[in-house]
Amino acid sequence: MEENLIMEKHQFEKKTLWVVLLTAITMLVEIYYGITTKSMALLADGIHMGSHVLAIGLSWLAYVIVRKVSQNNKFKGNSDKILSLSGYSSGLMLLIFAIVIMVEAIERFFNPVDIIYQEAILVASIGLVVNIASAFLLHHDHEHSDHNIRAAYLHVIADTLTSLSAILGLIAAMVWDIPYIDTIAAVISSLVIIKWSIGLLKDSGSSLLDIEKDKQHSHSHSHAHSHHHHH
């Protein structure tokens, strides 16, 4: 069982690294083109990607640390705590980003900017493709999950959501010529992300503080019972 778990963490470590590289490359491309084409949308998305590179990079680092630590016999702590801590930090970053997106969207609402729609839709689509690829990479079985992979996965899904809402919002704004649809789309996706990140913070936080979940508790009880019967 233990071997299997270590192998799995190793898989997660490789996968998170791939996602970090994929996201980092997209980020650099977007920022470069954002500067050359003077597209705010590209630039903003590139910087946004950067935040995810940081967060998912943190998740990757956590797996590396866990691996190093589990090879080190001196370490007596619980290496899962590292994953929860990383997940918690990552969740906190996600929460901050969601709030930033919301604030920016509301500012846009009061000071509308001319959006070059085709370009903006293209950017959002690039982001969407990269995020969907990342989501597939990071997809994991629920029972094998830990807070760290969940946090990385959430970042990718959150980004997918923002890209998707941007695309839909932009298309709607372009077709009906209502620029503020974009804002509404951004605010809605921010709210969803805030809800997710709070959920993540609660879960990883309670694991950090060793607060046993009730359902795990009853689960371990039934487990003990089934053990008795075998003897």
Side-chain angles (χ1 to χ4, degrees):
M1 175 61 202
E2 199 54 37
E3 272 306 298
N4 192 9
L5 206 68
I6 290 170
M7 267 309 291
E8 196 163 88
K9 296 237 191 296
H10 200 66
Q11 279 309 111
F12 283 164
E13 184 187 317
K14 278 207 277 240
K15 285 177 174 177
T16 42
L17 182 59
W18 272 111
V19 172
V20 169
L21 294 174
L22 191 63
T23 322
I25 291 164
T26 317
M27 169 189 95
L28 293 173
V29 169
E30 286 189 351
I31 288 176
Y32 174 76
Y33 280 107
I35 292 168
T36 51
T37 59
K38 295 193 171 50
S39 153
M40 269 313 291
L42 264 171
L43 203 58
D45 203 55
I47 292 166
H48 190 126
M49 279 268 181
S51 62
H52 290 292
V53 172
L54 276 177
I56 300 165
L58 180 72
S59 295
W60 170 70
L61 199 63
Y63 283 122
V64 176
I65 293 170
V66 167
R67 180 166 52 91
K68 291 271 191 281
V69 156
S70 53
Q71 286 161 358
N72 175 0
N73 300 325
K74 292 199 197 81
F75 182 79
K76 291 287 183 281
N78 176 357
S79 64
D80 283 350
K81 283 276 200 292
I82 298 171
L83 298 180
S84 300
L85 183 62
S86 155
Y88 188 84
S89 318
S90 197
L92 207 51
M93 284 162 124
L94 196 56
L95 185 61
I96 294 165
F97 291 127
I99 293 168
V100 169
I101 293 171
M102 201 163 342
V103 170
E104 278 184 359
I106 294 166
E107 275 179 5
R108 278 282 173 82
F109 187 71
F110 291 109
N111 310 307
V113 279
D114 285 331
I115 305 171
I116 306 161
Y117 287 114
Q118 278 81 3
E119 187 184 83
I121 290 171
L122 181 72
V123 182
S125 309
I126 298 170
L128 187 63
V129 171
V130 171
N131 289 318
I132 288 173
S134 304
F136 271 112
L137 267 170
L138 290 180
H139 190 71
H140 52 280
D141 299 335
H142 200 68
E143 59 265 22
H144 296 318
S145 176
D146 57 54
H147 295 299
N148 196 31
I149 194 81
R150 200 178 126 202
Y153 191 55
L154 265 188
H155 271 271
V156 171
I157 295 291
D159 222 8
T160 309
L161 186 71
T162 41
S163 301
L164 195 59
S165 75
I167 293 170
L168 296 175
L170 287 166
I171 290 173
M174 184 169 74
V175 173
W176 294 310
D177 198 27
I178 316 175
Y180 60 80
I181 288 188
D182 197 28
T183 306
I184 296 168
V187 170
I188 291 172
S189 55
S190 296
L191 287 173
V192 175
I193 297 168
I194 288 172
K195 184 176 175 296
W196 284 342
S197 46
I198 289 173
L200 179 64
L201 288 173
K202 274 185 184 158
D203 288 354
S204 49
S206 53
S207 131
L208 281 173
L209 299 173
D210 287 321
I211 300 168
E212 278 297 319
K213 285 277 163 27
D214 284 343
K215 51 176 180 284
Q216 282 170 356
H217 213 69
S218 56
H219 181 80
S220 56
H221 271 311
S222 59
H223 210 72
H225 282 317
S226 63
H227 253 33
H228 276 326
H229 290 309
H230 282 310
H231 293 310

